[in-house]
Amino acid sequence: MKKTKIFVILLLVSISIFLVSRFVLDTDYFWHIKAGCEMFKNGVLTHDIFSWFVLGKYWMSHEWLFEIYLYIYKIIFGNYHTIAYVGTSIFLLIFILYIFNKDNFSKNIFYTLFYFVLFATMGLAFIQARPHMISYSFIALTIYLCFDLYKNKDSKKIYFLPLISILWSNVHGGSSNLSYILCIIFLVCGLFSFKFKKIESDRISKMQIYRYLLVIVLCMIGICINIHGVKMFIYPYINMLDTTMINNINEWQPTSLGVLYHYVYYIYLLFIIMTMLVSSKKIKLIDFVLLLFVSYLGLKSVRFWLYSPIVMSFIICDYVKEIRVSNLPIYILSSLIVLILGVSIYNSKYINITNHLNLDDEVIKIIKKENPKRLFNMYEYGGELIYNDISVFIDGRADLYSKYNFKDYLDISDLNNDYKKLIDKYDFDYLLINKKANIYYYLKDNDEYDNIYENKNLILYKKNS
């Protein structure tokens, strides 16, 4: 058993290193770090200062503490702060999962290996310098604390959860409602006692019910302890109803059979379902409901994929048969670890630690010199423009723009509806566009606009005087 635990530790460490090695810059990083810089120096922002169009409008800066935290990383680690942040976040999550599940992970190292290979494969698209990396650890801690009370009627550890909810609502308020939602799931499942075919449930004690109820209320209150107050409590639900934003941002897209990469999530779900079905053990109601809940989220939006393996890490090994291994498989598995580390070292040379992603230094220099007053820019360029102190029309804060100009931006960039009237309405003096956008075909032969800079991906147009 000692040998298998050592292997599990090495496996999880190597997979963590692999995930860090796959880090890529995301365009949202740039406005996050700029916001963190501004708030570190001048106080928390609750109104926009980065866009010429929504300047001064109320901004639900629900990630403000993360942004300051990221900026502090930049002060400490310099150009390598993104790698340091991502590495810290991944290792913290893996440490939490291991420390509370080490015995279960060691029961069947072949199953654990395959499980975390799927985990890592799903995680490839989400290894970014953004606040969800911290939320993953909050989810893991929430599940642990809820299960601890569920299995131990005298446990009081769950009283730490309201404190986590306060921190969560300030680091990544958009997902902090999970602190009480997960509690509610445990409470409701604990109210039933029955056996129905393969599913069974045992009723929890009155004291457990009381503690869940109290913690649910305290978590709800805790979420409201932030610079936006009660607005933070309802913010996630308002966001989920914003169809314009959800339908037009990649990470909000539903999991689809039409996208090849999405099959990894379907494979994962099938793997979990089959594990529970073929197990000789009864399926506990709480485990079944949690699986339904995270599956619903993952199928609804790709951004929720990793919620499933995080939550199920505390559950699925209960349904796995213990297998003792000989020395030979250990040597084979150890070779796999070496292979993972080798791939990680190879991947590391592709890590981007520069201060740009889509825009080059030349176009930034020209825009600053021209000093536009009403710049139109593509959504994916907004973060880098903000980072370089250039006022934008739109950026990655879709929740801010959705009630003002996000729909108009989509119509203009895609040449939909009355796009010409919209262009006249905003009276853009400069337009920074991607050559793949439909608006390119409107501007390229339009005498009203001069091409003042172009590279293989983008063009900067200036409107004639």
Side-chain angles (χ1 to χ4, degrees), residues 164 186 330 348:
I164 291 174
F186 277 84
I330 285 291
S348 63

Side-chain angles (χ1 to χ4, degrees), residues 352-396:
N352 186 351
I353 58 172
T354 63
N355 291 328
H356 55 77
L357 187 62
N358 295 306
L359 308 180
D360 56 45
D361 294 334
E362 185 63 23
V363 72
I364 293 295
K365 180 180 178 181
I366 292 173
I367 294 174
K368 284 193 169 186
K369 181 180 178 181
E370 296 289 326
N371 192 26
K373 298 296 184 291
R374 299 175 304 281
L375 172 70
F376 174 88
N377 60 276
M378 305 304 295
Y379 180 88
E380 64 268 26
Y381 298 160
E384 290 170 81
L385 292 170
I386 288 173
Y387 184 86
N388 288 279
D389 299 311
I390 297 170
S391 294
V392 299
F393 180 62
I394 197 168
D395 60 79

Side-chain angles (χ1 to χ4, degrees), residues 408 411-412 418-426 428:
D408 289 349
D411 286 341
I412 292 170
D418 294 328
Y419 66 91
K420 290 183 179 180
K421 289 183 179 180
L422 290 173
I423 292 174
D424 292 337
K425 168 188 171 182
Y426 291 106
F428 302 113

Side-chain angles (χ1 to χ4, degrees), residues 112 149 200 234 290:
T112 300
L149 176 58
E200 66 178 12
I234 61 175
L290 285 172

Side-chain angles (χ1 to χ4, degrees), residues 35 50 131 144 150-151 181 254 267 306 332 433 442 451 456:
F50 301 123
Y144 164 70
Y150 204 82
K151 296 176 180 179
I181 289 176
I267 292 171
L306 286 191
I332 295 174
I433 66 164
Y442 171 75
N451 178 343
K456 65 179 182 179

